[in-house]
Amino acid sequence: MTFILTSLLWLEILQKPILRALPDSVVFMHTGVTLLCEGTSGATKYYLYQKEDPYSRYTEMFPEPGNKAEFTISRIDRHHAGPYQCYYQTYYGSSAYSNTLELVVTGAYNKPSLSAQPGPVVTSGKTVTLQCVSEYYNKFIFTKEGPQKQSWKKNSQYNHSIDKYQASFSVGPVTSSQRWTFTCYSHSMNNPWVWSFPSDPLELLFSGNLQKPIIKAEPGSVITSGSSTTIWCQGTPDAEIYVLHKDGSQKPWGTQTPEEPGNKAKFSMHDVTEEHAGQYRCYCYSSAGWSERSDTLELVVTGTYYTKPSLSALPSPVVTSGGNMTLQCVSQNRYDKFILTKDNLKFTKSLDPQYKRSATPYQALFPMEHMTLNHIGTFRCYGYYKDTPQLWSVPSEPLEIHISGELSKKPSLLAHQGHILGPGMSLTLQCSSDINYDRFALYKEGKADFTQRSSQQTQAGLSLANFTLGYVRYDMGGQYRCYGAHSLSSEWSASSDPLDILISEYLSVIPSLSVKPNSTVHSGENVTLLCQSTSRVDTFILSKEGSAHQPLRGLGPFGDSSMPPSGSIPSAEILQKPILRALPDSVVFMHTGVTLLCEGTSGATKYYLYQKEDPYSRYTEMFPEPGNKAEFTISRIDRHHAGPYQCYYQTYYGSSAYSNTLELVVTGAYNKPSLSAQPGPVVTSGKTVTLQCVSEYYNKFIFTKEGPEKQSWKKNSQYNSAIYKYQASFSVGPVTSSQRWTFRCYSHSMNNPWVWSFPSDPLELLFSGNLQKPIIKAEPGSVITSRSSTTIWCQGTPDAEIYVLHKEKSQKSWGTQTPEEPGNKAKFSIHDVTEEHAGQYRCYCYSSAGWSERSDTLELVVTGTYYTKPSLSALPSPVVTSGGNMTLQCVSQNRYDKFILTKDNVKFTKSLDPQYKRSATPYQALFPMEHMTLNHIGTFRCYGYYKDTPQLWSVPSEPLEIHISGLSKKPSLLAHQGHILGLGMSLTLQCSSDINYDRFALYKEGESDFTQRSSQRTQAGLSLANFTLGYVRYDMGGQYRCYGAHSLSSELSASSDPLDILISEYLSVTPSLSVKPNSTVHSGENVTLLCQSTSRVDTFILSKEGSAHRPLRLKSKFQPWQYQAEFSMSAVATSFTGTYRCYGSEDTSLYLLSYASAPVELKVSGPMGDSSLPPSGHMPPTGLRSYLKVLIGVSVAFLLLLIILIFLLLRRRHQEKFRKNAQKETELQLPAGAAEPGTRDRGSQKRSSPAAATQEESLYASMEDIRLKDGVDLDSWRPPEEDLQGEAHGQVKPSRLRKAGTPLPSAMSSEHVNTKDGQAEEDREVDSQAVEPEEPQDVTYAQLCIRTLSRRTAAPSPSQAGEDPEEPSIYAALAAAHPEAVPKDKEQ
């Protein structure tokens, strides 16, 4: 109950962890970031959780020092962006989630632009507006740089004038006490954590007490496109730097030092373009600080739009002083605004256009009242669009305004040829006056300019001027006036009376004239002149030949006489529908010209062009061209001209129907898409090919087929998330070689289907002939590391002239080569492989017979694209017996979509989907390999990739070598330093066998590679290899095996028995060890070794100093406030005497131990000091006599053996002299304390009696029973194959001799070889440990043999005599404590 309450209390007070990103939570794409989760000291595991992806978990098993875990993403990409949380686990439960950390990836899109409005120089305490502009993305983030970084999210508005998104953000009041530096980002509304590149930084500058400078432009602020201008900024004499800033720009337009001498700076623009238009301010800097900004200079660029307006003065460009005048600006194009300038300066505010039904339907009227001499000048008008107010059209023709005096006498104007003239006649007008004017000016109503002539004086005292206008044309018809003027005055005289000049023979109508009652009448009678016409005319003009008066005008009565004959009136219902065409084409590049041609009938008097999307947009042509048609010309087409058009015409009898719709498309508004053929541009006649068009931003596509009969198809798109682009496919076929098949594609926005992108590059389909398809291959292979080199070879027929390499989904061929000389193949080299080179390739060749078929596909894979490396391991081991099964496990911390396996850099299996598991590497794929043979031997690697980019792989796992083991005898593996080692010790493992292996391989479980050493031969005929692993580190802990192999075979031997190496001092825990009832006991008593720890450990390990056996393990049990395990020993003997230590370990790190407990020395007292001797009180007299005889026999045997040994050594000395050096080398290679390795395989190390061995085996059986009874797994850390070895500990026992550190002489092997009686040899080996001292001692083989001979002659062993074993042991005692755990076959 206390434990439960404590646990509940602990859960309540677990602190919420803190999640941070280093170096920042806003990270550039393809860089690295570390997510740091900080918890409490009791944390055992940390978890990182991506909220948008519930399956994305990264588990850190071991917290770093400082109670934290680091989750590193070495190469961040878009899919890593999003909100993250972390939590941790303790032994008592899990913490709450941390606060959310939003991980943002920048650099995915083009950077926006950031500017300050009205400029970056501000006054302290004021507010400034920041404006961020992006072409494609509609969400914005403004950030303020500095120690305390701040950010604000803003929505945008779409600016149709610049076709971009923009957002504004007000900052203030700003103060000069800190720096104000800003950047902005843009992103899509679909993914708020993937941002663009940052804008260039914008720093606000603070103005001081300097007066604001003066800004002006020369020659003026209205500049013609392509011309030059200069902007001057004039400040104070102490100004050191002048800065020119354009509103809306993120950077200063320029920086200058003042001109010498002077206080102003010059900013020159030599070739003015649209980009120069805008509002400018300047400011300067001196030692007193920054000045205020100057007033605004608006720089206007004219000539941007080519539809020229016309300007006229109503009623005339000459007005009396004080009178009123209206200037009329008209245009065929519907500009948003019209503006008036006088002498290249703005004269009035702009005006909105008015619509009127005429050939120039859009007009603006500028009234001018109370005219004075100040109004005299040259006027022009322009049109512009309100979204670009500094970009004006080409100007109208100049119009000069003049003031006439009321008192100056008006001159007279006459035409010598009369009022009515026919084409081809010569026209001269004469202006004269009896006032001595110095010059005369002739003006035609409706025109903008005057024609001036100097006056001539006649003899009669008149002043006059003749205006010779040349041969008569239709456009000369009109009303004329003339004025007189003096040289010293800008004022003109009053206007002459108007003179009408009429041009005949324009209308193809001949009226008739008759006189009523007769053509001859008497004076005083009434006469009527009747003018008639069968064709409709609005006005009749009556002229008297030779008269100087104006002809008379009259409206003709509309009666039968003016109507056409009955039945000849056309009906509106039968008027032909006009035809509307575009020349040169209806698909027109932006800023070029196009003519819309409307063709009607001969009776048409007016034509109208109608833009369906804009009901106010009408272009009217009053006079049809010859051929019954009208041309509507757009000299410089722009986006707003795009759309559907119709035209109609009018006759005297009504209007025609509308023409069919003509869709006028403007291209070149966006970047061009890419067009490719799938699977390639070489096709077989009669087959079908798929065209694929890809665009980055726009989701509607048009495919066009070039040729005399141009065709087009509209297609919707799909968004490809892998490449972040839109794409559409279009199937074409069957295609035939009888015609050319050339295609292009365009993209456009769904909001405006008539404004298209630039066209893609043309794609022409090629037809294959009868040539066989070439062979394609890559060297050194098709799996290439990024930044390395590769060569693609294409091999065709000997007569091939050209080889073409094509990458699928590419709009162009990757390369073209001629064949190598001599040979029939071409070489395509890639010297620096990048991600762009990954993909599927085919090649084809051309000869006089035509194009070949495409080759088979070569898939070129680029590795190293993603930096999260997977790891590859073999289950259960990278060595498997021939015919056996194995599973290769590829795991990764990163959630790749697929894992794939390669063998010797070639694809080995199909890719597999990952499986999720809760671990530090949560994503895995298992590749089963069955019926393994020698063909499976090789070097394997695994990679991860994403399904949308299947040819871009991660960095490879470490290589894993797979080996096949046979039936060869297994070697033995031992560690001279023991099983438990501390940091800094030296570790050497020795693998040996009595089989003559040429090499040995050492493998650590869980590793991917083997360590191999050549074998060395000992004098005893053993082969061995020493593996010096160096100073002990934590990662050396684990289970080791070794294998033997022959040079001529790739097959390995069977595995050695596993050897466990345990590393202490890993866990910062020091358990305690105690003995119950006492550390000094009598033989036969029960003892319990109690291992305890206040910190949690999963397993306790008990080790006896100097023992060659594996340390014992017991699962820990939790008692109030501590963990413990009891190692019980029943009926202990003196062999239990020794020094014991206890360690702790966790299930997550089986081979990494805690610090050792304080040593505990257990002393078992008995009648005799030697634990191998039975107690005197229990030994019968015959046994004592036998024992004395054995001692005498051993002494005699020792002397005999010593004599024989000396004799043999002297006899064979001369035979073995040449082997002396080899023998020394072999013995030197055995490390200090090493035992003769062959003794374990030959079974020479036995206990003093079989019963004692049985007791040792019963110990492990009793430990197993503890596991079964207590529900704990003692050997859960062992692999399954170890449990199948049965009497592993009883069959192989390291001898005290080997522990003593005395190497075996070479003669010992010969003694065993020459033994005649095998049983005697076994007895001798058994008796070699009949006397086992409490402490390790050096025992010579001569002594051992004497004891053996004495024992053999004196008495049989206890087992042979049928007596119960008398030698107690630690293992027998542990077995006695749990007798039910002793196997039945051992109870005998």
Side-chain angles (χ1 to χ4, degrees), residues 1113-1131:
R1113 286 180 174 254
L1114 270 180
K1115 282 285 189 178
S1116 68
K1117 294 181 180 180
F1118 182 74
Q1119 301 295 331
W1121 305 109
Q1122 63 183 355
Y1123 296 85
Q1124 67 180 33
E1126 294 183 352
F1127 295 86
S1128 300
M1129 304 177 188
S1130 300

Side-chain angles (χ1 to χ4, degrees), residues 391-607:
L391 296 179
W392 293 0
S393 68
V394 290
S396 66
E397 294 296 330
L399 173 66
E400 292 185 6
I401 299 300
H402 298 276
I403 302 296
S404 66
E406 294 182 355
L407 302 178
S408 298
K409 186 177 181 180
K410 63 182 180 182
S412 60
L413 180 64
L414 59 91
H416 295 293
Q417 296 86 350
H419 291 277
I420 300 177
L421 296 91
M425 296 176 64
S426 179
L427 176 59
T428 298
L429 302 183
Q430 186 180 80
C431 187
S432 60
S433 175
D434 54 3
I435 301 297
N436 190 20
Y437 290 122
D438 299 310
R439 51 193 171 91
F440 290 96
L442 180 67
Y443 170 71
K444 181 187 176 187
E445 187 177 316
K447 293 292 183 180
D449 53 348
F450 288 76
T451 303
Q452 297 194 43
R453 296 284 188 273
S454 298
S455 69
Q456 300 174 4
Q457 293 291 321
T458 66
Q459 284 185 343
L462 298 177
S463 57
L464 62 86
N466 291 318
F467 296 89
T468 301
L469 304 184
Y471 292 106
V472 170
R473 304 183 308 274
Y474 289 132
D475 60 353
M476 287 182 177
Q479 192 173 76
Y480 291 82
R481 297 172 185 268
C482 75
Y483 302 86
H486 297 285
S487 300
L488 300 179
S489 173
S490 57
E491 189 178 65
W492 285 10
S493 70
S495 167
S496 69
D497 293 328
L499 171 67
D500 292 329
I501 299 297
L502 308 177
I503 310 300
S504 65
E505 302 178 15
Y506 177 75
L507 298 178
S508 57
V509 175
I510 300 177
S512 62
L513 181 62
S514 60
V515 183
K516 290 182 179 182
N518 204 333
S519 60
T520 303
V521 295
H522 293 284
S523 177
E525 291 183 353
N526 294 330
V527 173
T528 299
L529 299 179
L530 180 61
C531 197
Q532 294 177 306
S533 174
T534 57
S535 298
R536 178 175 177 171
V537 292
D538 298 323
T539 304
F540 288 100
I541 294 97
L542 183 64
S543 170
K544 179 181 179 183
E545 193 173 286
S547 173
H549 295 291
Q550 297 273 11
L552 300 177
R553 290 175 176 263
L555 296 177
F558 192 78
D560 291 341
S561 63
S562 62
M563 291 291 292
S566 177
S568 64
I569 302 176
S571 170
E573 296 181 357
I574 62 172
L575 288 176
Q576 292 182 5
K577 182 167 65 175
I579 299 171
L580 180 60
R581 294 183 293 127
L583 298 177
D585 196 5
S586 60
V587 179
V588 189
F589 271 101
M590 195 158 60
H591 299 163
T592 61
V594 68
T595 297
L596 302 182
L597 185 65
C598 187
E599 296 180 85
T601 63
S602 60
T605 57
K606 290 182 182 179
Y607 283 85

Side-chain angles (χ1 to χ4, degrees), residues 57 168 373 383 694 708 840 935 1247 1383:
R57 291 177 183 266
S168 298
L373 293 179
V694 179
Q840 293 183 326
N935 292 331
R1247 299 296 296 175

Side-chain angles (χ1 to χ4, degrees), residues 1297 1300-1302 1336-1340 1343:
L1297 176 64
T1302 304
Q1337 299 177 4
D1338 294 337
V1339 181
T1340 66
Q1343 294 171 336

Side-chain angles (χ1 to χ4, degrees), residues 171-183:
V171 179
V174 294
T175 59
S176 57
S177 60
Q178 58 175 299
R179 294 188 68 175
W180 297 75
T181 303
F182 296 87
T183 56

Side-chain angles (χ1 to χ4, degrees), residues 741-759:
W741 297 75
T742 304
F743 295 89
R744 294 177 186 265
C745 75
Y746 302 80
S747 63
H748 67 82
S749 167
M750 66 174 65
N751 299 325
N752 196 340
W754 302 287
V755 177
W756 294 359
S757 67
F758 282 96

Side-chain angles (χ1 to χ4, degrees), residues 216-445:
K216 65 177 180 178
E218 291 181 353
S221 61
V222 180
I223 308 299
T224 305
S225 179
S227 62
S228 299
T229 189
T230 299
I231 296 179
W232 292 94
C233 184
Q234 183 175 356
T236 57
D238 58 344
E240 302 171 7
I241 299 174
Y242 286 86
V243 179
L244 181 65
H245 179 76
K246 180 184 175 186
D247 286 358
S249 175
Q250 59 184 1
K251 294 181 179 180
W253 191 88
T255 303
Q256 293 287 349
T257 54
E259 295 273 306
E260 292 292 344
N263 58 345
K264 60 183 179 179
K266 176 182 179 183
F267 299 90
S268 299
M269 301 179 186
H270 297 294
D271 187 9
V272 173
T273 64
E274 298 177 12
E275 295 179 355
H276 292 97
Q279 292 181 326
Y280 291 82
R281 296 170 184 254
C282 71
Y283 43 93
C284 56
Y285 177 81
S286 71
S287 57
W290 290 96
S291 71
E292 295 184 44
R293 297 185 305 273
S294 68
D295 294 331
T296 300
L297 169 69
E298 186 175 38
L299 194 66
V300 173
V301 177
T302 69
T304 304
Y305 311 110
Y306 287 96
T307 302
K308 177 192 291 187
S310 63
L311 181 63
S312 59
L314 301 177
S316 165
V318 180
V319 64
T320 59
S321 180
N324 299 331
M325 177 190 291
T326 298
L327 298 185
Q328 181 189 45
C329 185
V330 297
S331 172
Q332 194 182 59
N333 193 32
R334 192 184 69 173
Y335 292 113
D336 293 334
K337 296 282 186 178
F338 289 100
I339 196 165
L340 195 65
T341 65
K342 174 178 177 281
D343 301 329
N344 288 331
L345 295 176
K346 279 187 180 180
F347 185 73
T348 61
K349 292 183 179 180
S350 59
L351 294 179
D352 295 332
Q354 302 170 356
Y355 178 73
K356 61 189 182 76
R357 296 181 65 90
S358 69
T360 51
Y362 301 102
Q363 70 174 10
L365 301 175
F366 297 90
M368 300 174 68
E369 300 177 349
H370 310 297
M371 299 283 286
T372 65
L373 293 179
N374 293 329
H375 290 87
I376 294 175
T378 302
F379 289 79
R380 293 176 175 86
C381 77
Y382 302 82
Y384 68 85
Y385 298 101
K386 59 185 178 183
D387 294 327
T388 53
Q390 289 87 31
L391 296 179
W392 293 0
S393 68
V394 290
S396 66
E397 294 296 330
L399 173 66
E400 292 185 6
I401 299 300
H402 298 276
I403 302 296
S404 66
E406 294 182 355
L407 302 178
S408 298
K409 186 177 181 180
K410 63 182 180 182
S412 60
L413 180 64
L414 59 91
H416 295 293
Q417 296 86 350
H419 291 277
I420 300 177
L421 296 91
M425 296 176 64
S426 179
L427 176 59
T428 298
L429 302 183
Q430 186 180 80
C431 187
S432 60
S433 175
D434 54 3
I435 301 297
N436 190 20
Y437 290 122
D438 299 310
R439 51 193 171 91
F440 290 96
L442 180 67
Y443 170 71
K444 181 187 176 187
E445 187 177 316

